[in-house]
Amino acid sequence: MYTPILATKLFIPPPRPKAVPRPHLIERLNEGLHRKLTLISAPAGFGKTTLVSEWLAASQEQAAQRAAWLSLDEGDSDLTRFLAYLVAALQTITATIGEGILGALHSPQPPPREALLTTLLNEITATAHAFVLVLDDYHVLDAASPLGTVDQALAFLLEHLPPQMHLVITTREDPQLPLARLRARGQMTELRAADLRFTPGEAAAFLNQVMNLDLSAAQVAALEARTEGWIAGLQLAALSLRGRKDVGHFVTAFAGDHRYIVDYLVEEVLQRQPDRVRSFLLQTSILERLSGSLCDAVTGGNDGTALLDLLERSNLFVVPLDDQRRWFRYHHLFADVLAAHARLEQPTLVPLLHQRAGAWYAAHGLPADAIRHALAAQDYARAAGLIERAWPAMDGSFRSAAWLGWARALPDEWTRARPVLGVAYAWALLNGGEFEAAESRLEEAEPWLDPAAQRGATAAERVIVDEEQFRALPASIATARAYMTLARGDLAGAVKYAARALSLLPKADHLRRGPAAALLGLAHWADGDLEAAHRALADAMAGFREVGSLHFAISATYGLGDIRTAQGRLREAVQTYTQTLQLALAQGEPPLRGTADLYLGLAELYREQGDQDAALRNLLHSEELGEQAGLADWRYRFHRAQARFKQSQGDLAGALDLFDEAARHRTRTPVPDVRPLAAWKVRVWLLQGRVDEARRWAQERRLSVDDDLSFLREFEHITLARVLMAESPRGHEHALLDALRLLERLQHAAQAGGRMGSVIEILALQALAHQAQGNLAPALLALEHALRLAEPEGYVGLFVDEGPPLARLLSAAAAHGIMPDYTGKLPAAFAPATAGTPRPDDARDPTQRPPSSPAQPLNVPLVEPLSARELDVLGLVAQGLSNDEIAARLFLSLSTVKGHNRNIFAKLQVQRRTEAVARARRLGLL
């Protein structure tokens, strides 16, 4: 697993530079300290880092401000690496901050990101002094990377930032953070290129005082005009002017856009350096970070440390990365141009330089950098070996997307001869949903498993780094094929491959048997054999637990809970989630990856059982823990659950938006899609009266009353019955009869398969269909059957979601003495969910509010939900406690409580405590 060398990072403000005083900018930075964020965003060479260094140096001289500094590079796009460096930077402020986080980051089961961040925020809150954290060169992070959730982590930090901390970001481009929201709330100070460019007076001070030139006012004005105050351009010009006698001619000829200015001036600077310095600059331009030892390894010399010291003293665009002056980097713009010149002047030497750098990094235990340089050198043999060895650790830490980027850089011929690498490549592709590409990699690897091919292969033709991994390849390939065939809907093929994998693996090899057993369970689930599916998944879960792979054990829980829910056994489903959640929480902080899914499953079950408070609490816990890198499957389920909550609260447009958002996160997986999003949307359309669109969906899906029935399409066929029932009042005489006929067939099929969750819903729809015909007796008979199945499990949401028609039928059932306790309790749950919500069977225009209903605030879920801690604070506010009393009760500082209050007021869109409590009660938060 990758472990960064923290000593290569700068974690305190760099030494105070010799710079032009800029009091107007210093004043703006000081004024922004009461806000959360200062964003300094401008192109390269506008003095962003220098300005912040000068500001912090002046502040620290006055003992007014503590500061930590983190200089970023491209490799910090990896979230684990970023967080490790972030903690190390904060430890320069308080040495105890994040003591347990570095180890947790590199554990075999990486913890949820937001749990780590919450722990970190709590520790920051406990610090006694205010401080500034600077993230320098933020633009080098790769925001488009599948692993690139640094933006998301930083957004979470900003949202919950304690008042003790102020964040400063310098960057060449705006980060993907909620800048509009911060701007609207007055929580951000911004400095742009227009603010940073030198004025004529500042340009004169820089050229004549800092760079020790003696230019006339006209010459300064000419250079300032041609560079438009661009500081790097002025610095390059000044370097070229040193020792020149033809200053006037140089200034007159100095023209062009930024790129040409830089090319011209760097050429001038390079030509004026001694041969040894110039050669050193070009040869070390391939490095992102520079140390004496690394530079010596690359250049073959022994004077790397001395030359780095010389470059710094000569102001030749080197930036120190630590206070001991052991690690440096080139100014990014300067490094780009140096690298271009190196490729132009020494094209045959550059690959050798990369090879030397890669060897140094490999020897120092830095595989990521070693792989990068091996690939740059086109040393594919070394790169392939390093990449193959890196797979187990990368896969075990759920960083297969980063690994895949390396594998993609290898030419195909270097993976075809490495069967272990090829199968790892296939699994990485499968994790990203690229099934066709994964199939190709498996086909390339499979021939190497033929004994005849093995006997005939030479060492050059077949490369195996790890014999144990090679012996496990047949089972790994069979498991991969089970994964693919199941995701494509080939249940028989999935069962065949999963069984083959299990037959090839020893009984005691729980870690490798677990995925195959789980896939077998998923195949049974898709086929409607729920008990067999539950047994297989439970066996897989037990095996994972036995070998300590709790993350994979947690991942099986969602399937177990969903199966029990389909069987109508809600209480067992709650117990399943609760027991696994207790197991996860017993591991201590931070929570295990996947814990968010457990909270989400409980939220959905509690919503169904009518416990809205518990449902909301668990939904919020899930949201707090669930924003992890690459967890599209969680985001899909989370947005789907949010949509169901919106639908229950009458916000149908919001529900559709969230279903669409869920669809954007849906990827191909072997988990059976037994409740497709499109069918959920159709049900919302019916509530909106959009029957024609619902009918078109049924036609496009080729659904009919006489279809062969299967579990995988059961949800769609029940939705078809709803469409037919909605068509009945519109002049389709036979639609209701067709619906009843289809529902009867569905009831028999679901009951035979033990899918009592579907049976209850089908019986409720049969009751509504009989009621629509005016046949009260069969309607009550069907409803009573549904109620007797539902009452032991505590069903509420299923009945409430049917709205006023079922509420009226429940009243009739109560009047007939049918299950009086249950029918007496259910109607109370209808009011908040159905008030003001038009249904297609209502006679009024569904776009109009009933005349008897006064206008009320729309109590829809918040755009930004309150966190669990904010709900705690809000509850104590509602009890009338003061901020001091809340701080004492929750063991928080007073400033933290005030910060929570500000967030609560902003999210609820109120200005006073009484308004917050009133709005929260309308929303059901209290």
Side-chain angles (χ1 to χ4, degrees), residues 292-628:
S293 171
L294 175 57
C295 290
D296 287 343
V298 170
T299 64
N302 58 6
D303 55 355
T305 300
L307 283 172
L308 288 173
D309 181 62
L310 174 65
L311 294 180
E312 185 189 15
R313 285 187 285 105
S314 301
N315 201 25
L316 277 174
F317 298 101
V318 292
V319 180
L321 296 177
D322 58 34
D323 212 29
Q324 291 76 37
R325 298 298 201 274
R326 294 174 181 170
W327 285 90
F328 299 83
R329 68 166 174 83
Y330 288 123
H331 182 286
H332 294 307
L333 189 62
F334 191 53
D336 290 343
V337 178
L338 286 177
H341 280 272
R343 291 190 296 271
L344 180 67
E345 296 183 16
Q346 303 172 339
T348 59
L349 181 60
V350 170
L352 177 61
L353 299 175
H354 280 294
Q355 283 183 328
R356 294 171 178 174
W360 188 92
Y361 278 120
H364 287 78
L366 295 168
D369 290 303
I371 290 169
R372 180 171 55 82
H373 282 288
L375 290 172
Q378 297 185 1
D379 186 354
Y380 296 125
R382 173 186 289 271
L386 290 168
I387 293 168
E388 183 173 330
R389 290 186 185 94
W391 169 250
M394 295 288 281
D395 183 44
S397 59
F398 310 102
R399 298 169 61 202
S400 62
W403 186 93
L404 183 59
W406 298 333
R408 289 189 197 277
L410 290 171
D412 284 346
E413 57 267 26
W414 291 95
T415 59
R416 292 194 187 104
R418 293 175 176 264
V420 175
L421 177 61
V423 174
Y425 201 158
W427 272 111
L429 291 164
L430 283 178
N431 290 341
E434 299 183 49
F435 283 44
E436 291 73 19
E439 175 74 36
S440 174
R441 296 296 169 180
L442 291 176
E443 289 175 352
E444 290 176 358
E446 281 178 315
W448 292 113
L449 304 181
D450 182 355
Q454 295 180 40
R455 288 192 298 271
T458 66
E461 291 172 332
R462 189 192 71 180
V463 181
I464 298 172
V465 175
D466 188 330
E467 287 289 344
E468 181 184 355
Q469 292 293 325
F470 179 73
R471 287 192 295 272
L473 282 191
S476 182
I477 291 173
T479 305
R481 292 205 174 280
Y483 187 106
M484 287 190 295
T485 53
L486 184 55
R488 290 167 174 163
D490 180 1
L491 304 187
V495 170
K496 178 185 73 174
Y497 284 118
R500 178 186 299 173
L502 291 171
S503 71
L504 293 170
L505 292 167
K507 295 286 187 183
D509 193 351
H510 298 294
L511 192 59
R512 290 192 178 96
R513 289 179 65 88
L519 288 166
L520 192 60
L522 294 179
H524 290 313
W525 184 5
D527 199 33
D529 190 348
L530 301 188
E531 274 305 316
H534 193 277
R535 284 195 302 272
L537 286 176
D539 288 345
M541 183 177 179
F544 287 135
R545 289 181 60 176
E546 186 169 336
V547 296
S549 183
L550 295 182
H551 163 70
F552 289 109
I554 288 174
S555 69
T557 304
Y558 205 90
L560 294 172
D562 215 20
I563 289 169
R564 287 296 187 237
T565 300
Q567 292 174 315
R569 296 153 71 171
L570 301 187
R571 299 193 191 280
E572 285 187 46
V574 170
Q575 186 179 27
T576 296
Y577 282 115
T578 302
Q579 288 176 344
T580 307
L581 183 59
Q582 290 172 348
L583 174 68
L585 296 180
Q587 308 306 307
E589 293 292 337
L592 292 174
R593 184 184 177 103
T595 306
D597 282 324
L598 304 179
Y599 282 116
L600 183 59
L602 285 171
E604 293 179 294
L605 287 165
Y606 287 137
R607 188 199 73 84
E608 181 56 56
Q609 292 181 323
D611 190 344
Q612 296 300 320
D613 290 341
L616 182 59
R617 282 198 306 272
N618 281 277
L619 190 68
L620 290 173
H621 281 306
S622 180
E623 184 175 26
E624 288 175 359
L625 298 177
E627 287 294 340
Q628 304 173 48

